[in-house]
Amino acid sequence: MTTGILAAAGIGAALLFTAGEAEATPVNIPGIGQFEIADEIATQLGITASAPELGIAEAPAAEHAIIETYEFRPVTIPGIGTTPSQSMTAIPDQLVTAAVAEPLPAQRSAAPAPDFRQVTIAGLGKVAVPNSLPPLVGIPGVSDAAGPVPAPMPAAMPKRTVGERAAEAARTRLGASYSSGAVGPDAFDCSGLVQWSYRQAGVELPRTSYSQLAAGTPVSVDELEPGDLVSYYGGGHSALYVGDGQVIHAASYGSGVRLAPVDNMPITGARRF
């Protein structure tokens, strides 16, 4: 507006200086009044007698960017929330990108897999191992979720004593023949069967029944365990206790190796090796 007033004042000054020097044309300036303008100036300004009004307009303002009108919709921004559709924080449709707009449920990707997984080790518990490690399968006591469920560990077999192993060896000779002085494996005398049975268990015993009674550790008949030596007839006959109140011994000709009650003969003593 100020620019327009200054322009009008300039024109007015020009009118005053030129008035009376040439033929004039009356013009009307809005807000100022009617003046006479020399025909020469009126011609330059494009004013004619038929349109004797000089319209003074404001000087054009500085150039501005064109502001477009957008449609808005609410979007959800992580860490900020959902913008209301009518608030100043709403985002133009044209400016919303896939990185800002809330994805549809079907578009949401699954969470990335962890870098580690849990495996269970019997007696130790859960242990984290890298996912890059192949499934731990076929290892007793190890359960890895990445592989099949392992079979349970077999129950530990109880450790057998030397006497138990000797008694088992004697059982394999049931029915073998009796022969004086024989030490197996197909025929035995009484001390020969005891010696052979303990040899299978890794222990070497004396050869004769008397020397066997003199070896080992004395035990009570009430405390007999499988494999203990039971001596009869003053040390003249040897047998092996196998449990359940029975012994295995090479009895005599015609009877061979057989089972018998532990008390079927007079007991002299017992030994454990």
Side-chain angles (χ1 to χ4, degrees):
M1 184 64 184
T2 302
T3 305
I5 294 173
L6 292 175
I11 294 174
L15 297 178
L16 291 175
F17 282 107
T18 57
E21 295 181 1
E23 294 186 5
T25 299
V27 297
N28 182 51
I29 299 176
I32 298 179
Q34 187 172 13
F35 293 88
E36 290 187 352
I37 300 176
D39 289 346
E40 180 180 353
I41 296 175
T43 300
Q44 294 176 3
L45 297 177
I47 300 173
T48 63
S50 60
E53 184 171 295
L54 179 61
I56 304 299
E58 293 184 5
E63 184 176 356
H64 297 285
I66 298 175
I67 301 176
E68 298 184 12
T69 300
Y70 296 107
E71 294 292 333
F72 292 89
R73 73 170 182 265
V75 296
T76 299
I77 302 175
I80 297 177
T82 302
T83 61
S85 59
Q86 299 301 323
S87 74
M88 295 299 292
T89 58
I91 300 177
D93 283 349
Q94 294 89 333
L95 303 181
V96 175
T97 65
V100 176
E102 182 180 15
L104 296 175
Q107 297 173 330
R108 295 190 180 100
S109 59
D115 294 330
F116 293 85
R117 68 177 185 273
Q118 297 286 333
V119 299
T120 302
I121 302 176
L124 183 61
K126 293 185 179 297
V127 178
V129 300
N131 274 336
S132 57
L133 194 68
L136 305 178
V137 296
I139 304 175
V142 176
S143 176
D144 190 344
V149 178
M153 293 184 66
M157 296 295 293
K159 186 176 180 180
R160 295 178 302 165
T161 65
V162 172
E164 288 172 335
R165 296 199 300 271
E168 290 176 0
R171 284 184 181 276
T172 66
R173 298 294 88 196
L174 285 172
S177 301
Y178 175 87
S179 178
S180 179
V183 293
D186 298 322
F188 303 90
D189 64 11
C190 65
S191 58
L193 175 64
V194 173
Q195 185 188 48
W196 179 88
S197 298
Y198 264 93
R199 186 174 290 159
Q200 309 314 303
V203 176
E204 192 67 30
L205 295 188
R207 167 68 186 89
T208 68
S209 59
Y210 289 101
S211 58
Q212 290 172 357
L213 178 61
T217 302
V219 294
S220 168
V221 175
D222 296 334
E223 297 175 345
L224 289 175
E225 294 180 359
D228 288 347
L229 168 74
V230 181
S231 182
Y232 298 94
Y233 300 114
H237 187 71
S238 293
L240 281 179
Y241 183 73
V242 293
D244 298 327
Q246 291 186 314
V247 293
I248 292 179
H249 68 130
S252 62
Y253 289 103
S255 296
V257 177
R258 62 178 184 143
L259 284 167
V262 67
D263 58 357
N264 74 326
M265 296 174 285
I267 298 175
T268 301
R271 295 290 188 271
R272 184 169 295 159
F273 304 102

